[in-house]
Amino acid sequence: MTGPALGPDELAAATAADRRAQLEGGLSDVDCRGCGGRVGVKKNSLAHTSIQWTADAARRCPLYTARDGCPELRRSIELAVAEDRLAVASAEPAPRLVPGG
Ligand SMILES: [Zn+2]
C-alpha cells in the first residue's frame, strides 16, 4: 500500500531538512515595516546584505523595485540589526563597556 502522501517520519525529515537549509543559508525573516511583506535576509557584513524577495512580498510592497528593493525594508533591516534581531555574519563582537569594580 503506497501513496503519494508523506508519512510522519518523512514529513519530519523534510521539515528538518528545510530548517537546516534555512540555517545554513543564514536567511532570517524580516518584515518590512512599510508594507508588511516578509523577505529572507542575510547580513554578510555590515555593508553587504542579501535579500531574498518572495513573489508575495514584492507584490505587496508599493515601493518595491527590482533594482532597489524597498527603502522601508532597508530601514527595517537596519533596525533589526541595531536591535540584535538580525545577526551579521562577519561582525566583530561589539566591544562592551564593563563597569569597573
Ligand atoms: Zn516594503
Side-chain angles (χ1 to χ4, degrees), residues 3-87:
L6 292 178
D9 285 353
E10 292 164 290
L11 204 63
T15 306
D18 250 21
R19 288 191 64 87
R20 210 154 44 231
Q22 206 168 39
L23 284 175
E24 278 166 13
L27 288 172
S28 308
D29 287 340
V30 174
D31 295 325
C32 175
R33 61 180 194 162
C35 60
R38 175 164 292 187
V39 299
V41 176
K42 180 179 183 183
K43 264 305 222 182
N44 299 306
S45 71
L46 283 176
H48 184 197
T49 308
S50 301
I51 303 178
Q52 192 172 76
W53 282 86
T54 63
D56 177 66
R59 211 171 25 236
R60 182 195 280 254
C61 183
L63 299 173
Y64 172 82
T65 63
R67 202 180 125 232
D68 294 326
C70 166
E72 283 297 325
L73 176 71
R74 274 206 295 277
R75 248 169 262 143
S76 302
I77 293 171
E78 280 165 23
L79 201 67
V81 172
E83 292 177 352
D84 257 356
R85 285 183 285 118
L86 182 65

